[in-house]
Amino acid sequence: MAENFYPGKDILEGVRLELFTQDELRTIHYASMEVLQNPGIEVENPEARQIFKENGCIVDDKTRVVKIPEYLVNRALQLAPSKFTLWGREKKNNVVKEHKGKVHWTCFGTGVQMCNYLGPGKFETVDSTEKDVANTAKLCDWAENINYYSLAVSARDWAGKGAQDVHETFTPLVNTSKHFHHIDPVGENVEYYFDIAKAYYGGDEEEARKKPIFSMLLCPTSPLELGDNACQVIMKGARNGIPVNVLSMAMAGGSSPVHLAGTLVTHNAEVLSGIVLAQLTVPGAPVMYGSSTTTFDLKRGTAPVGSPELGMISAAVAKLGQYYGLPTFVAGS
């Protein structure tokens, strides 16, 4: 069995990595509050802007910029649950997400190609298909060290046919008994995803809300924008009881400041804006504080997920999540 870790417990069993003191975390928080008020967050969805406006934010519909006051952020952080369950189809595979507790593991995604073995020393790289989605879900279902399945590859054989994301919801749900984390949801189709979950519960909508067998990930657009799709996923997720992971993918030196602390400030503002929207939509909606933020490789024009900077940022984000009392999701291991 995989060993569980307890990052929130104050136990020293060797070397400890503490990137920030509480005062430094507070400084990042205060700087993020300044960013949320000036320049603010660009919000592409009209309904989301209206929700912000009705709750006391300064909204400019021409520029689509929303300025979020600190008291709304503090209220959202009070309302967001510090603990909730990611339900699996089998009870033994339930995952309890909490702001201080066990570390859980999932697979990475979403890949668009598979490397097929053709014989000794021979391989071919091809577009991934719905069958690959099913097979990776089955593999993660078997792997006892993986706690829940994130969409590992894309069903490229459905690309352009109008229902790719729905197939990428249905196929994992029928091929794993673990919780499914949809990391490429399409906002306008969230109702279809929820219908699939309702069907699992025999059409019982209340049960599907109480025990959601899937969750969704959305990314703000760095720097400092909540796109239309992100807003739809947040609002519809909150209304249907589906946990949402607000995950920034900023690139230090590209779409965010080159320095670690500066990147954490804009990253933090982006994630907090999504969490505020979720709590304004439905108070108490389950949310995760997420990060796949890394550095920008200026030489190769890439965002290296295996870089040391990503590890440092993820460690810092984990501390921010604990500082806010939120379950946290970070890239890397």
Side-chain angles (χ1 to χ4, degrees), residues 15-285:
V15 176
R16 172 180 290 177
L17 176 63
E18 291 283 359
L19 294 180
F20 297 104
T21 65
Q22 286 296 107
D23 286 340
E24 288 168 335
L25 290 172
R26 197 172 295 114
T27 299
I28 291 172
H29 168 77
Y30 289 149
S32 303
M33 295 306 99
E34 291 183 23
V35 168
L36 286 172
Q37 294 174 65
N38 183 29
I41 301 291
E42 185 174 341
V43 179
E44 291 296 317
N45 182 276
E47 183 185 2
R49 290 199 301 274
Q50 185 62 29
I51 290 174
F52 280 119
K53 184 184 297 184
E54 291 173 354
N55 284 276
C57 296
I58 299 173
V59 178
D60 187 328
D61 283 312
K62 290 184 179 180
T63 62
R64 301 183 294 277
V65 170
V66 174
K67 298 187 176 184
I68 305 172
E70 185 177 0
Y71 78 88
L72 278 186
V73 179
N74 292 335
R75 189 170 73 184
L77 292 170
Q78 290 177 328
L79 292 169
S82 60
K83 180 179 179 180
F84 55 85
T85 300
L86 300 178
W87 293 84
R89 289 197 293 114
E90 291 186 10
K91 186 177 180 180
K92 68 177 183 179
N93 290 325
N94 290 351
V95 172
V96 177
K97 296 288 289 184
E98 50 190 324
H99 85 286
K100 284 189 177 181
K102 296 178 181 178
V103 171
H104 298 101
W105 308 93
T106 187
C107 55
F108 203 79
T110 301
V112 295
Q113 291 187 318
M114 294 289 291
C115 186
N116 295 330
Y117 176 70
L118 302 178
K122 295 181 180 180
F123 302 89
E124 66 172 355
T125 302
V126 297
D127 284 352
S128 54
T129 66
E130 186 173 14
K131 182 178 179 181
D132 296 317
V133 175
N135 287 339
T136 54
K138 291 175 183 176
L139 178 63
C140 289
D141 194 71
W142 164 83
E144 62 182 16
N145 59 318
I146 295 178
N147 299 103
Y148 56 95
Y149 175 70
S150 297
L151 186 65
V153 292
S154 177
R156 297 294 297 158
D157 48 338
W158 279 97
K161 298 179 182 179
Q164 179 179 347
D165 60 298
V166 178
H167 282 267
E168 291 172 348
T169 306
F170 176 77
T171 301
L173 287 174
V174 298
N175 283 283
T176 181
S177 60
K178 297 179 180 179
H179 183 83
F180 169 51
H181 190 44
H182 198 329
I183 62 178
D184 277 329
V186 174
E188 62 186 25
N189 290 335
V190 171
E191 290 85 358
Y192 292 112
Y193 311 161
F194 189 60
D195 284 342
I196 294 171
K198 279 196 299 184
Y200 169 73
Y201 285 111
D204 190 332
E205 183 171 326
E206 183 179 353
E207 196 75 356
R209 291 178 185 275
K210 285 169 51 180
K211 301 178 180 179
I213 55 174
F214 76 97
S215 52
M216 300 185 293
L217 180 153
L218 71 298
C219 295
T221 305
S222 298
L224 303 174
E225 179 186 330
L226 286 177
D228 180 66
N229 187 72
C231 291
Q232 287 194 57
V233 171
I234 291 170
M235 295 185 295
K236 293 180 179 181
R239 288 166 180 156
N240 289 295
I242 304 165
V244 295
N245 180 2
V246 185
L247 179 144
S248 176
M249 297 182 72
M251 293 184 294
S255 58
S256 67
V258 70
H259 298 293
L260 172 61
T263 282
L264 286 171
V265 168
T266 58
H267 168 108
N268 194 37
E270 291 167 3
V271 174
L272 289 176
S273 69
I275 290 171
V276 171
L277 177 58
Q279 301 311 311
L280 293 179
T281 304
V282 176

Side-chain angles (χ1 to χ4, degrees), residues 287-298:
V287 292
M288 287 181 256
Y289 186 112
S291 172
S292 190
T293 292
T294 185
T295 188
F296 180 55
D297 189 325
L298 296 171

